[in-house]
Amino acid sequence: MNPKKATHQQTKQRNRDLVLKLIMENETTSRAEVARLTTLTRASVSEIVSALIDEGLVEEIGYGDSIGGKAPILLSLVADARYSIGLNLAQDRFVGAVVNLRGEIKEMVEVPVNDRNGEQALQIVYQVLDQLTSCGWKPMVGIGIGTPGLVNTSAGVVVNAVNLDWQDLPLASLLEKRYKLPVSILNDSQAAAIGEYVYGENHPSDSNLIVITVKHGIGSGILINGRLFQGDGGGAGEIGHVVVQEDGTRCRCGKTGCLETIASAKAVVERARLLAGEYPHSMLAQNSRKITLEDVEAAWRKQDPLALRVAGDAARFMGSSIAGLIGVLNIRQIVLMGDMACFGETWLQAVREAVAKYSLARMAEETKLEFGTLDFRAPVLGASAYLLLDNYSLLYTRLTD
Ligand SMILES: [Zn+2]
């Protein structure tokens, strides 16, 4: 290949990606605005925009306000120009959705897992995807999957997912063969982080963000300059299995005292059941074997001593782990999502206090810790968005039907 030509081709593609990214990130924009923000010439922007309109990705939607001279023609992304599928392999149910370019869910399928694993769990993945791919949403550009466990995204392999009993499962290639679509595999907490980054509130383009998901387990996803940072082995953000209490509880990973054995929603419930005997006056003490997360949350709001202890411990250890992340990365925007969010602002405040206690004062002060606004949809949306953010070229297929 002529190297000069290749470079020209690459520049062309890069410029096209740049223009499309800007149009995707804004509700509406204009050619002049795109030219200003990308520093491309008006002529190149016009040429690229024409091509995007031809491909059905962008449309003109009327005129904007004039700032002296001709009123600009407003451009907008065609939300339904392409679709992708996002799938989250959560603990108790697999949830999949057809999503358009604006993150609107068009179709959703949920299948309870009922502790099925190995080949049977793979069959559920097929079941969900068979349904979603046969719904007729076209053009479909790809499938993104968020799965618990350690994932090698570039190889498309689930390295180790304990609950699903998958080791070195080449999930991407299995699904690509079956559905003839590009497939990306991500850790579920990383997928949730992308979902929050792309569709959550107040995350500017190319910014940094850490999203921590607390459910049965605890994981996090790290975005640096708007890109997912996965580390050398794909496990960046896997804070749930860092030991924080040497004499703590045995963890499902085989170690003792991992963060998730004290700060996960599951741990909070289990510890409340276990410690109820020490708190005979707690409102949780009666019927302690049937304590649920909702019970602990209600008790927390009433300042019940047992609830204060178990949820307080969770906040403290979570805060200390977040302090570690802040010390290493100095990322100022941190979002917490998942089951512990039901404990509300007072619990979040307890986490913030622990963060302040365990980090350099100045760095903690500059850090904003908030709850996420997306619910269970975050990993589903994130899995589908990753596919596109990572490879815009998937979008540039001419409509054939
Ligand atoms: Zn562990």
Side-chain angles (χ1 to χ4, degrees):
M1 202 202 288
N2 178 342
K4 220 171 175 180
K5 201 172 170 189
T7 310
H8 175 68
Q9 193 58 36
Q10 281 164 359
T11 309
K12 220 174 128 181
Q13 173 151 356
R14 205 172 45 235
N15 291 345
R16 207 165 57 150
D17 286 355
L18 213 58
V19 172
L20 183 62
K21 180 167 181 261
L22 226 144
I23 296 174
M24 285 180 94
E25 282 171 359
N26 292 281
E27 194 86 13
T28 60
T29 183
S30 67
R31 288 172 177 82
E33 181 80 351
V34 173
R36 191 176 65 78
L37 293 170
T38 56
T39 68
L40 295 170
T41 64
R42 288 288 291 267
S44 349
V45 170
S46 286
E47 193 187 326
I48 294 168
V49 168
S50 297
L52 292 174
I53 290 175
D54 280 352
E55 293 181 53
L57 283 164
V58 171
E59 61 185 345
E60 295 178 340
I61 56 153
Y63 292 90
D65 295 334
S66 161
I67 35 165
K70 244 170 63 182
I73 299 172
L74 293 181
L75 302 171
S76 180
L77 182 74
V78 179
D80 287 299
R82 306 287 187 274
Y83 301 99
S84 58
I85 289 175
L87 189 60
N88 181 31
L89 311 184
Q91 176 97 15
D92 50 347
R93 59 195 176 134
F94 290 179
V95 183
V98 174
V99 178
N100 75 5
L101 295 179
R102 284 282 185 225
E104 291 154 354
I105 290 178
K106 297 290 177 175
E107 199 89 46
M108 191 143 106
V109 173
E110 278 187 48
V111 178
V113 179
N114 300 329
D115 295 327
R116 283 173 285 179
N117 57 22
E119 177 61 30
Q120 284 188 322
L122 187 58
Q123 291 301 325
I124 311 177
V125 173
Y126 292 152
Q127 188 189 335
V128 173
L129 290 176
D130 285 354
Q131 278 190 52
L132 291 173
T133 49
S134 61
C135 288
W137 297 95
K138 280 181 184 167
M140 184 65 72
V141 296
I143 299 169
I145 313 249
T147 169
L150 201 56
V151 176
N152 181 338
T153 298
S154 55
V157 171
V158 182
V159 178
N160 188 13
V162 179
N163 284 339
L164 294 168
D165 195 21
W166 288 347
Q167 279 86 36
D168 298 315
L169 178 74
L171 189 56
S173 67
L174 289 172
L175 298 178
E176 277 169 0
K177 252 180 237 147
R178 187 176 170 112
Y179 299 104
K180 314 274 183 285
L181 287 168
V183 176
S184 302
I185 317 277
L186 285 177
N187 167 273
D188 55 351
S189 298
Q190 293 176 350
I194 294 173
E196 172 64 33
Y197 176 75
V198 175
Y199 301 114
E201 283 162 26
N202 302 325
H203 305 307
S205 181
D206 303 327
S207 59
N208 302 324
L209 175 71
I210 297 173
V211 177
I212 300 164
T213 307
V214 185
K215 292 193 169 169
H216 261 59
I218 296 175
S220 73
I222 301 163
L223 283 119
I224 297 177
N225 299 326
R227 310 295 291 178
L228 181 69
F229 176 75
Q230 294 186 296
D232 289 334
E238 191 64 271
I239 56 170
H241 296 286
V242 174
V243 173
V244 295
Q245 225 189 2
E246 259 185 56
D247 54 351
T249 311
R250 184 103 174 142
C251 181
R252 62 193 164 115
C253 74
K255 293 198 180 297
T256 298
C258 294
L259 178 65
E260 73 170 50
T261 65
I262 191 152
S264 70
K266 189 177 172 215
V268 165
V269 172
E270 282 175 357
R271 292 189 72 235
R273 289 177 185 170
L274 197 75
L275 296 171
E278 293 177 31
Y279 295 82
H281 301 298
S282 161
M283 59 188 279
L284 297 167
Q286 286 178 346
N287 221 355
S288 64
R289 288 166 77 184
K290 291 193 174 155
I291 293 173
T292 64
L293 190 67
E294 290 71 31
D295 297 335
V296 183
E297 182 252 319
W300 163 268
R301 289 181 193 277
K302 291 189 175 132
Q303 307 255 312
D304 178 272
L306 175 56
L308 288 180
R309 168 150 173 211
V310 292
D313 283 348
R316 201 155 47 84
F317 280 95
M318 178 55 75
S320 134
S321 293
I322 292 173
L325 288 170
I326 293 173
V328 173
L329 296 164
N330 191 22
I331 287 178
R332 290 176 177 167
Q333 187 86 31
I334 302 182
V335 167
L336 259 177
M337 56 168 76
D339 298 338
M340 289 305 286
C342 70
F343 283 70
E345 193 57 32
T346 53
W347 185 77
L348 189 61
Q349 195 50 38
V351 181
R352 289 191 188 114
E353 280 161 20
V355 171
K357 185 176 170 193
Y358 296 120
S359 15
L360 205 57
R362 187 60 185 268
M363 280 162 84
E365 280 161 24
E366 291 167 343
T367 305
K368 213 170 141 205
L369 176 66
E370 301 287 353
F371 282 132
T373 47
L374 299 174
D375 44 26
F376 71 94
R377 291 167 302 167
V380 175
L381 291 175
S384 80
Y386 174 74
L387 198 74
L388 298 181
L389 290 189
D390 204 53
N391 189 1
Y392 280 118
S393 67
L394 290 176
L395 295 174
Y396 301 121
T397 38
R398 282 204 171 263
L399 304 182
T400 48
D401 48 0

